[in-house]
Amino acid sequence: MPTADRRPAGRHFLQIPGPTNVPDRVLRAIDRPTIDHRGPEFAELGRTVLAGMKRVFGTESHVVIYPASGTGAWEAALVNTLSPGDRVLMAETGQFAALWRKLAERLSLSVEFLPGDWRHGVDASEVESRLRADTAHAIKAVCIVHNETSTGVTTRIPPVRAAIDRAGHPALLMVDTISSLASIDYRHDEWGVDVSVGGSQKGLMLPPGLSFNAFSAKALAASERAKLPRSYWDWREMLAPNASGFFPYTPATNLLCGLAEAQAMLFEEGLANVFARHDRHAEATRRAVRAWGLEILCADPAEASSTLTAIVMPDGHNADAFRRIVLERYDMSLGQGLGRVAGKVFRIGHLGWFNDLMLCGTLAGVEMGLALAGVPHRKGGVDSAMAFLVDAARQALPHAA
Ligand SMILES: Cc1ncc(COP(=O)(O)O)c(C=O)c1O
């Protein structure tokens, strides 16, 4: 395995669905002397990044930032709002939904798990019927993964919200946005989400190490009644110092410098343009996969993720053996199959700091890797993607009709 300073020539292609490529601008922002986290310069940084995260989540309500990976923010969402033995409704969209469930059970929550086939998003009508059946309102929260990173399937949140409302059920709605935030359209307030969970290492273009909770007034009120033990994750400990830009404990100062820069980049491009760029790269990728004659794991094109595509390996071929060849020969990391689909799928991450030519290079690496690994496929995937990207660029020209 090449080390950082003994890599092959040229940039490594980090095309896993997070961590993603960190922009040079963000690297430079992180690479500076650490400042006093109780001084005035930090207060300004703290206020900037907290306000920026509200904009990214689409909320006027509260956001807190943890020096933790996304798993920490999952735990924070649950311990701040729930009590031992509370029932929560979760849906088996894939590996990350299964891991969130495991975490909830370890916290002594009782999980009702809607079974799934790892090829679809959450079935809102199923959520509605479970909530209608719960006339005693024992279910305290509905917890779903917006973009299931193990399968490349995105659940539409508004139908789930509408299902909860139709059932007239008071459960909180919690959404994991870890691999969709700042890449796929997301609106915490408008969609009536109570707790949104995010992470730094995907659409926010940072290294791993920060995670987020955005929460509604209803979730904050629930936190006053919640009895699960919490200290480090306690929102109330955070909110008071956050009001003046500070944190209750030593924050991840340099990552926050990077976050300010990443937010500036996202806002300069415009969030709507960022989302459109991800949609374009996802569509180009799917065209390549179809041209290769391979199968996309996501069964419903309307739920196909804009941040990653999971591809099913033909029978008799191992996805990890293929990924190893691509890494060794082309210095590109592709995402491995997780859990139930280990060895059976590989995932192309097309999110974060990424452009048309990086996508073409990525798809070329996959197409050449398929040939080298002897995986049956048709040629022309990269050509299909390029044709689509050229059309999209033509339409974006100022003189386009
Ligand atoms: C959708 C989703 N949820 C949760 C996690 C867990 O986050 P972390 O690995 O940062 O703890 C991930 C990580 O990839 C993820 O993609």
Side-chain angles (χ1 to χ4, degrees):
M1 185 63 207
T3 58
D5 51 354
R6 298 185 72 195
R7 299 207 77 96
R11 279 223 176 171
H12 176 67
F13 271 60
L14 183 64
Q15 296 317 133
I16 58 175
T20 60
N21 297 290
V22 180
D24 298 355
R25 261 177 78 174
V26 171
L27 289 174
R28 282 197 295 269
I30 293 171
D31 179 14
R32 51 167 292 181
T34 300
I35 57 172
D36 172 11
H37 60 285
R38 310 221 186 268
E41 196 185 349
F42 185 87
E44 196 180 325
L45 173 66
R47 283 194 298 265
T48 301
V49 293
L50 286 163
M53 285 319 298
K54 288 188 183 185
R55 203 166 148 192
V56 172
F57 274 111
T59 185
E60 306 269 300
S61 194
H62 311 281
V63 174
V64 296
I65 304 177
Y66 296 109
S69 82
T71 303
W74 262 350
E75 179 159 339
L78 301 179
V79 296
N80 273 290
T81 52
L82 299 167
S83 299
D86 273 356
R87 195 178 311 167
V88 298
L89 183 61
M90 294 179 148
E92 186 194 9
T93 45
Q95 177 73 355
F96 289 101
L99 289 175
W100 203 7
R101 171 201 189 169
K102 191 160 93 180
L103 188 152
E105 286 175 341
R106 284 180 176 161
L107 293 172
S108 78
L109 297 169
S110 158
V111 179
E112 204 171 314
F113 204 43
L114 298 175
D117 65 357
W118 289 47
R119 302 194 74 162
H120 291 87
V122 178
D123 181 346
S125 61
E126 189 63 22
V127 170
E128 183 174 346
S129 62
R130 293 295 178 116
L131 292 180
R132 278 191 192 282
D134 176 36
T135 48
H137 294 171
I139 296 172
K140 300 299 178 206
V142 175
C143 304
I144 59 177
V145 176
H146 182 213
N147 186 70
E148 181 46 84
T149 325
S150 61
T151 62
V153 176
T154 308
T155 291
R156 278 150 301 181
I157 304 303
V160 177
R161 174 74 260 170
I164 299 172
D165 293 344
R166 270 197 308 275
H169 199 287
L172 296 168
L173 174 59
M174 303 199 195
V175 180
D176 170 341
T177 73
I178 289 175
S179 61
S180 54
L181 191 68
S183 309
I184 299 174
D185 192 10
Y186 188 78
R187 307 169 189 208
H188 176 92
D189 286 359
E190 192 181 317
W191 293 349
V193 180
D194 291 299
V195 187
S196 297
V197 176
S200 58
Q201 73 271 28
K202 315 230 182 207
L204 285 169
M205 310 180 288
L206 289 166
L210 293 180
S211 56
F212 313 90
N213 278 177
F215 48 96
S216 65
K218 180 175 166 186
L220 186 59
S223 81
E224 297 297 334
R225 300 184 299 269
K227 300 267 183 321
L228 276 173
R230 60 196 191 272
S231 171
Y232 186 76
W233 305 115
D234 200 323
W235 292 340
R236 294 163 304 181
E237 293 288 315
M238 280 282 209
L239 290 179
N242 276 182
S244 47
F246 293 110
F247 284 69
Y249 38 70
T250 313
T253 311
N254 287 53
L255 283 178
L256 295 176
C257 296
L259 178 58
E261 193 66 26
Q263 290 173 347
M265 291 176 69
L266 290 168
F267 300 150
E268 281 163 23
E269 184 174 353
L271 285 176
N273 296 327
V274 171
F275 302 149
R277 171 164 58 79
H278 283 79
D279 292 344
R280 182 173 79 245
H281 291 154
E283 176 59 29
T285 303
R286 291 189 292 269
R287 285 178 187 230
V289 178
R290 288 195 293 267
W292 291 324
L294 299 180
E295 190 183 358
I296 294 170
L297 184 63
C298 175
D300 177 357
E303 293 185 321
S305 169
S306 285
T307 57
L308 76 134
T309 302
I311 297 150
V312 181
M313 259 341 230
D315 280 345
H317 293 270
N318 183 286
D320 293 336
F322 162 72
R323 287 189 318 106
R324 200 161 37 246
I325 287 172
V326 172
L327 178 62
E328 280 167 7
R329 182 62 210 168
Y330 300 114
D331 195 27
M332 175 162 72
S333 296
L334 295 169
Q336 67 185 108
L338 297 173
R340 196 201 267 192
V341 292
K344 300 193 176 98
V345 309
F346 68 94
R347 297 171 298 151
I348 303 176
H350 32 75
L351 74 162
W353 191 55
F354 200 54
N355 62 30
D356 287 11
L357 290 190
M358 291 163 87
L359 178 65
C360 290
T362 300
L363 296 175
V366 173
E367 189 161 328
M368 290 190 289
L370 290 169
L372 261 186
V375 177
H377 69 289
R378 294 192 297 265
K379 300 283 166 217
V382 181
D383 287 343
S384 288
M386 285 196 302
F388 173 75
L389 293 172
V390 169
D391 272 353
R394 212 175 265 133
Q395 278 165 31
L397 289 175
H399 53 266

